[in-house]
């Protein structure tokens, strides 16, 4: 076939550009090693091209295919791979050194959503003027933030002061492997134990009632026999 040299980026050697003495031809039916001259003749008979796809192999690996079709397939594969790649964005969460509880919970919720969507989170405390004196308070705030998000993300960088900002970096955890915090595990355990205790008490009530009724019935029978 006629190749447009302006469009061809010479990424692959084809036909007479292949200088190896022999090549390995691969196809859906398998592979075979033949002299390059024979491989070129096979390509001509099929009215296709001999395309070298792996020049560093020994011998080089080639395919017999229409070169334009081959380039289209490669472009399509590259596009599919690019579409499958997850684009990770970095979302910022800003705090003041004395952030109130309502604002903290509001930003915590947003951070959870960012991490669930597969994005990274860069949280930072901005110290304005003399508020730099509260840098320890800012560090405590960021550590609390990381702890409250441990089910959703993992810490990539612990709180670090850079100029007037203290940064914390979090990356999303993979879906399905989020680790529950120890506090949540303890709470769930207490709730399960409380539920089990309630169920046991409910199950014991009919049994105790039955025993008491039997005891009262036996006393009444004995009294009746004594009176007779």
């Amino acid at each position: 076939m006629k190749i447009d040299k302006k469009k061809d980026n010479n990424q692959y050697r084809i036909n007479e550009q292949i200088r190896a003495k022999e090549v390995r031809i691969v196809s859906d039916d398998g592979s075979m090693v033949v002299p390059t001259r024979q491989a070129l003749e096979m390509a001509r008979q099929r009215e296709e091209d001999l395309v070298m796809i792996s020049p560093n192999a020994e011998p080089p690996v080639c395919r017999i295919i229409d070169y334009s079709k081959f380039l289209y397939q490669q472009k399509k594969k590259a596009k599919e791979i690019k579409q499958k790649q997850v684009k990770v964005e970095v979302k910022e969460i800003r705090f003041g050194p004395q952030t109130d509880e309502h604002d903290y919970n509001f930003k915590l919720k947003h951070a959870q959503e960012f991490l669930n969507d597969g994005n990274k989170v860069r949280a930072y405390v901005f110290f304005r003027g003399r508020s730099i004196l509260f840098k320890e308070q800012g560090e405590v705030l960021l550590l609390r933030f990381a702890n409250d998000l441990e089910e959703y993300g993992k810490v990539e960088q612990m709180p670090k002061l850079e100029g007037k900002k203290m940064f914390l970096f979090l990356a999303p955890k993979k879906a399905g492997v989020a680790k529950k915090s120890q506090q949540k595990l303890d709470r769930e355990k207490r709730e399960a134990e409380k539920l089990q205790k309630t169920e046991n008490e409910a199950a014991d009530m009919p049994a105790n009632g039955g025993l008491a009724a039997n005891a009262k019935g036996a006393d009444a029978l004995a009294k009746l026999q004594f009176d007779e």
Side-chain angles (χ1 to χ4, degrees), residues 161-191:
L161 185 64
E162 297 180 11
K164 294 183 178 181
K165 296 179 180 179
M166 181 175 288
F167 291 96
L168 167 75
F169 285 86
L170 296 167
K173 285 187 175 181
K174 292 182 179 180
V177 296
K179 185 178 179 181
K180 295 181 180 179
S181 64
Q182 188 60 46
Q183 293 91 336
K184 187 170 184 178
L185 289 172
D186 292 341
R187 184 172 66 252
E188 290 180 352
K189 182 179 179 181
R190 290 194 298 269
E191 291 175 352

Side-chain angles (χ1 to χ4, degrees), residues 77 125 138 196 198:
K77 287 181 181 179
V125 179
Q196 185 63 45
T198 303

Side-chain angles (χ1 to χ4, degrees), residues 190-208:
R190 290 194 298 269
E191 291 175 352
E193 290 175 349
K194 184 178 180 181
L195 178 62
Q196 185 63 45
K197 183 179 179 181
T198 303
E199 291 177 350
N200 291 340
E201 290 175 350
D204 289 342
M205 286 179 65
N208 291 336

Side-chain angles (χ1 to χ4, degrees), residues 124-139:
Y124 68 93
V125 179
F126 180 70
F127 300 98
R128 189 188 304 273
R130 294 177 61 83
S131 66
I132 192 69
L133 298 173
F134 300 98
K135 62 181 181 179
E136 291 183 0
Q137 188 172 337
E139 182 178 7

Side-chain angles (χ1 to χ4, degrees), residues 115 119-121 145-146 149 153-156 168-172:
L115 293 169
N119 298 309
K120 292 187 177 183
V121 171
F145 192 65
L149 290 170
K154 56 185 178 181
V155 177
E156 280 195 335
L168 167 75
F169 285 86
L170 296 167

